[in-house]
Amino acid sequence: MGFNTLILDVLEGKKVSKKPVWLMRQAGRYMPEYMAVRKKVSFLELCKTPELACEVTLQPIDILGVDSAILFSDILIPIEPMGVNLDFNPAPYISNPIEKLSDVKKLRVIEPENDVPFVIDTVKLLVKELNVPLIGFSGAPFTLACYMVEGGGSKNFVKIKTLMHTEREAYNLLMDKITESTVEYLQAQIDNGCKIVQVFDTWAGIVSPKDYSELVFPYVKKIVDSLKGAHVIYFAKDSATFYSKIKELGCAGIGVDWKIELDEAAKLLDNKFVLQGNLDPVLLFTDKATLKENIDLIFDKTKNVKGHIFNLGHGILPETPVENVKFLVDYVHSKEI
Ligand code: 1CP
């Protein structure tokens, strides 16, 4: 079989006869094959061992037949060499969260070849093996700052929002350092063979439109403007109310969650982008008839959008039945467009 360019074709505006499909978090805990590898090593060891990271990246390509691979890693991997102590249990945990300007001043901007060589090696191994494009990824600066300041996940994000508003110098310097690190990190993935990179802004939706425009968005724009040699997809969860700002980005694709219809998203974004999404991942716990109905609806809503990559509106959840995930991929591929 030759190299599958379907997803690149869509990102490059070429006409295609079927939709490309991949799924956020397509490797992971819903898959017995992943659990078998994971039983032997911790999550961080898995991310830092290129042969194993390569193996779990390939699992969904072989098992599901998706049109793209996504590097197996985590958005938090580059923050460890910046200077925070990172662990997973399985949720992320940071024992020395950022509290004040002096903490931010101690953080380093990463040099990917020296600081995360295992990521570069995994990318190199994968591009040799794959017959589909490899998606590299990072967290967006604000989402990474949330983890670094909160010390892990959070419900109300009190610490990051307070820092943002009362310690502006510390906030700006933190965002600058993460942005610089992220540009280096993504460009290294691109230079080693990723033709697409996705920037995950999972927590963008927790701020007001004004704060998003002034304090979150400019750093994303800087990343998009700096990268060379790959298509960039920006996925910001709960961000439909920010689309009048997001449409200023010069990237190829926008990931959309299930809180807005894709035709409506295209309208708010001036139909400038290839859209990616947006099936509610919980629908994968239902049945084939429900899945079909909701997949058909997404095909309907994307008839007139600039381009569309089928995906979920957020990552696959643990315990999702693999049979339904396979059904989704096969059904999307079976439909002519
Ligand atoms: O126990 C385990 O095996 C660890 C579970 C796990 C896995 C499989 C974590 C911990 N991360 C991952 C892999 C991962 N994370 C990928 C791999 C590639 C793939 O898609 O197949 C990717 C792209 C991510 C990205 C990621 N990590 C995001 C952004 C996307 C999203 O889902 O919003 C975020 C927010 C994280 C942080 C993180 N890492 C792990 C967990 C459980 C979390 C979320 C914690 C939280 O809700 O705050």
Side-chain angles (χ1 to χ4, degrees), residues 22-29 34-35 38 42-43 46-47 56 60 70-76 88-92 137-139 143 147 152-154 200-203 235 237 314-315:
W22 72 277
L23 305 165
M24 289 191 278
R25 300 282 192 112
Q26 63 192 12
R29 283 175 295 173
Y34 171 83
M35 294 306 282
R38 188 60 179 77
S42 72
F43 176 65
L46 177 50
C47 292
V56 295
I70 178 156
L71 171 71
F72 190 84
S73 184
D74 193 84
I75 59 165
L76 300 175
F88 287 89
N89 64 352
F137 72 92
S138 75
T143 289
Y147 285 101
S154 177
F200 286 91
D201 215 348
T202 307
W203 303 124
F235 170 73
K237 194 160 171 281
H314 198 200

Side-chain angles (χ1 to χ4, degrees), residues 245-306:
K245 194 71 197 170
I246 289 177
K247 73 183 181 191
E248 291 173 18
L249 284 179
C251 60
I254 297 290
V256 180
D257 70 16
W258 66 91
K259 308 284 278 297
I260 182 166
E261 302 292 1
L262 288 161
D263 55 350
E264 181 67 16
K267 202 157 82 189
L268 292 172
L269 292 164
D270 295 343
N271 210 7
K272 271 174 58 181
F273 303 91
V274 168
L275 299 186
Q276 176 176 279
N278 70 343
L279 190 81
D280 181 345
V282 171
L283 289 174
L284 284 167
F285 289 83
T286 65
D287 51 72
K288 293 188 172 69
T290 309
L291 273 172
K292 258 189 176 172
E293 189 185 316
N294 284 279
I295 294 168
D296 288 346
L297 193 65
I298 290 177
F299 272 71
D300 238 33
K301 297 281 179 193
T302 50
K303 278 199 183 102
N304 298 314
V305 307
K306 184 179 175 192

Side-chain angles (χ1 to χ4, degrees), residues 4-268:
N4 174 349
T5 61
L6 196 54
I7 188 167
L8 293 172
D9 290 344
V10 170
L11 286 164
E12 285 159 18
K14 294 181 187 151
K15 209 168 155 41
V16 291
S17 57
K18 60 178 187 173
K19 276 192 200 287
V21 51
W22 72 277
L23 305 165
M24 289 191 278
R25 300 282 192 112
Q26 63 192 12
R29 283 175 295 173
Y30 71 104
M31 238 183 221
E33 293 82 355
Y34 171 83
M35 294 306 282
V37 177
R38 188 60 179 77
K39 256 200 340 230
K40 297 183 277 187
V41 289
S42 72
F43 176 65
L44 268 177
E45 277 173 86
L46 177 50
C47 292
K48 292 178 182 180
T49 312
E51 292 72 24
L52 294 180
C54 185
E55 183 181 340
V56 295
T57 303
L58 295 173
Q59 286 171 347
I61 315 306
D62 301 336
I63 296 164
L64 305 174
V66 282
D67 297 299
S68 179
I70 178 156
L71 171 71
F72 190 84
S73 184
D74 193 84
I75 59 165
L76 300 175
I77 289 293
I79 70 171
E80 192 177 40
M82 285 185 75
V84 300
N85 306 325
L86 174 67
D87 217 338
F88 287 89
N89 64 352
Y93 172 73
I94 290 153
S95 61
N96 59 340
I98 303 298
E99 290 173 352
K100 51 190 181 301
L101 182 61
S102 60
D103 299 333
V104 181
K105 284 188 171 158
K106 285 187 213 137
L107 294 173
R108 310 172 44 236
V109 170
I110 67 159
E111 295 164 17
E113 274 76 8
N114 297 326
D115 291 322
V116 286
F118 48 87
V119 173
I120 313 286
D121 291 342
T122 306
V123 170
K124 284 182 183 161
L125 278 177
L126 280 166
V127 289
K128 274 193 267 172
E129 292 268 332
L130 284 165
N131 63 357
V132 293
L134 176 63
I135 302 180
F137 72 92
S138 75
F142 180 70
T143 289
L144 294 180
C146 285
Y147 285 101
M148 292 168 87
V149 173
E150 298 288 338
S154 177
K155 190 157 183 280
N156 294 316
F157 297 92
V158 172
K159 291 179 183 153
I160 181 68
K161 287 191 188 180
T162 305
L163 182 91
M164 174 193 254
H165 289 288
T166 63
E167 306 243 15
R168 191 57 61 76
E169 191 185 348
Y171 177 81
N172 287 342
L173 185 63
L174 174 61
M175 292 292 280
D176 278 337
K177 285 189 171 183
I178 301 173
T179 301
E180 272 182 66
S181 292
T182 303
V183 169
E184 295 297 323
Y185 184 58
L186 288 175
Q187 193 61 53
Q189 295 177 42
I190 296 167
D191 293 345
N192 285 283
C194 293
K195 301 258 187 286
I196 303 164
V197 290
Q198 175 154 320
V199 179
F200 286 91
D201 215 348
T202 307
W203 303 124
I206 66 156
V207 297
S208 68
K210 178 175 184 288
D211 290 343
Y212 179 79
S213 294
E214 292 171 6
L215 298 166
V216 175
F217 177 83
Y219 300 93
V220 177
K221 184 162 191 317
K222 188 162 180 198
I223 293 171
V224 170
D225 290 345
S226 303
L227 297 173
K228 291 186 183 68
H231 302 290
V232 180
I233 300 172
Y234 176 56
F235 170 73
K237 194 160 171 281
D238 271 323
S239 65
T241 54
F242 307 152
Y243 279 170
S244 60
K245 194 71 197 170
I246 289 177
K247 73 183 181 191
E248 291 173 18
L249 284 179
C251 60
I254 297 290
V256 180
D257 70 16
W258 66 91
K259 308 284 278 297
I260 182 166
E261 302 292 1
L262 288 161
D263 55 350
E264 181 67 16
K267 202 157 82 189
L268 292 172

